[in-house]
Amino acid sequence: MRTPISRPSLRPYLPYLQRAALPHDGLTAQFLGTSSVLLSDGETRLLMDGFVTRPRLLRVAMGRIAPDRRLVRAAVERLGVDTLAAVVCAHSHYDHALDAPLWALETGAELVGSRSTANVGRGQGVPARSVRVVEDGDTLTYGGFDLTFLTSLHSPGDHYPGSIDRPLVPPARARAWKTGTVYSVLVAHPRGRLLLHASANHRPGALRGHRADVVYLGIGNLGKQPAAFLRAYWEEVVTATGARRVVLVHWDDFFTGLGRPLRPLPYLFDDLDTTMSRLLPLARRDGVDVVLPAAWQPSDPFAGLG
């Protein structure tokens, strides 16, 4: 029986589960839940968000939260990423930026994002030389990767709007991790072009003229929005970039640790079934491949696209 605390089953969507792959040229992507994605071409490694602490709901709602260095170190070891070129935050909510400073400290990476993200880093002791603030349209190069930052919007119902205007020292209330600037990140590599689009919203026209083969598409909270909102979102992000594959991110229950299989959020927070019932027909109409990523698993985001 469906209740607010029950959740959709992943069983109907198993045919969309991404297959493990070891591409011949070494370009891999690994999903770490929410919108955290590790990209590597064998020489350079980049991480989006890197949120692995995933505090439980009760602590988020009523207590103070802090990054768990033990969990970050365990993730570094499991992924074999003792060095990273950059950790990039899509925005500064705790489910994106909580752990990013620790990744920077553990791997020597630059911490890249908004002024709010910079203050998250400063609050955890990331040195100034390792903090990079970006603006709309900026492009940064790391090895064979060119990253272009395009401002976007958070999904409707932002619980923690605003900016972080001074160093944020944890532990603190979850609301202290305010949104800051939201970025959609276009990643260009000789192997192909990716768009990391973590938040289920868009600035009309912002992505026109930008091309991507694959979009890592945030779908959090889409199940609570009108059907017309999802259609506009699809047109403005997927259709506008000409993407041939969509990898769905930010659908999982991020109050559950990564030591357990990923599962959708309860209906109280979102409705994955509604999202998929509206999104899959658009994908079939446009000939776009839809993929549901598995946690930790190396995959080739461009496999089979030609």
Side-chain angles (χ1 to χ4, degrees):
M1 183 176 65
R2 174 169 168 168
T3 68
I5 61 172
S6 64
R7 66 187 74 233
S9 169
L10 281 181
R11 189 173 296 113
Y13 313 118
L14 292 181
Y16 301 97
L17 195 65
Q18 193 168 33
R19 295 182 179 180
L22 294 175
H24 67 277
D25 58 5
L27 183 63
T28 58
Q30 288 171 271
F31 179 57
L32 307 182
T34 55
S35 55
S36 296
V37 180
L38 174 70
L39 298 176
S40 173
D41 65 0
E43 295 182 0
T44 304
R45 298 181 182 92
L46 306 170
L47 180 65
M48 170 70 84
D49 295 341
F51 175 57
V52 295
T53 293
R54 295 164 71 104
R56 301 298 295 269
L57 175 59
L58 187 62
R59 179 166 293 279
V60 170
M62 303 183 65
R64 295 176 181 271
I65 61 174
D68 187 326
R69 195 168 207 124
R70 177 185 57 85
L71 291 175
V72 173
R73 284 177 173 164
V76 168
E77 292 174 4
R78 180 170 181 174
L79 295 167
V81 290
D82 53 332
T83 59
L84 284 170
V87 180
V88 176
C89 289
H91 58 271
S92 300
H93 283 167
Y94 83 89
D95 57 326
H96 298 264
L98 179 70
D99 295 326
L102 285 186
W103 284 92
L105 293 169
E106 290 286 330
T107 67
E110 280 195 325
L111 176 63
V112 182
S114 68
R115 288 177 172 80
S116 292
T117 293
N119 276 322
V120 175
R122 293 179 186 118
Q124 294 188 41
V126 179
R129 66 179 181 277
S130 297
V131 176
R132 180 78 69 96
V133 174
V134 289
E135 305 290 347
D136 184 37
D138 283 354
T139 298
L140 303 180
T141 298
Y142 298 96
F145 295 93
D146 292 329
L147 278 61
T148 299
F149 294 80
L150 304 167
T151 55
S152 188
L153 298 175
H154 192 271
S155 56
D158 186 347
H159 294 294
Y160 312 127
S163 60
I164 303 169
D165 299 321
R166 58 181 59 87
L168 173 52
V169 180
R173 299 287 187 186
R175 62 177 176 267
W177 280 264
K178 297 183 184 299
T179 315
T181 305
V182 178
Y183 291 108
S184 184
V185 185
L186 185 65
V187 180
H189 187 272
R191 181 72 169 84
R193 297 172 69 86
L194 298 167
L195 182 70
L196 301 172
H197 192 92
S199 292
N201 208 340
H202 65 278
R203 282 196 305 118
L207 293 171
R208 291 172 196 162
H210 296 282
R211 310 300 294 172
D213 303 299
V214 177
V215 175
Y216 281 75
L217 187 72
I219 60 170
N221 203 34
L222 272 184
K224 298 289 189 178
Q225 306 308 316
F229 181 93
L230 186 147
R231 288 194 300 270
Y233 180 50
W234 180 272
E235 297 290 341
E236 289 281 353
V237 178
V238 181
T239 305
T241 58
R244 293 175 289 159
R245 174 170 293 146
V246 163
V247 182
L248 303 178
V249 298
H250 220 325
W251 52 267
D252 57 298
D253 181 353
F254 51 86
F255 303 116
T256 300
L258 286 171
R260 299 176 60 184
L262 299 184
R263 57 183 185 172
L265 281 161
Y267 290 110
L268 177 65
F269 300 107
D270 202 357
D271 186 341
L272 181 64
D273 289 333
T274 294
T275 297
M276 297 297 275
S277 71
R278 294 169 175 173
L279 184 148
L280 292 174
L282 295 173
R284 287 192 291 268
R285 181 197 71 186
D286 296 344
V288 175
D289 183 35
V290 173
V291 168
L292 198 68
W296 304 104
Q297 175 178 284
S299 62
D300 178 357
F302 306 111
L305 292 182

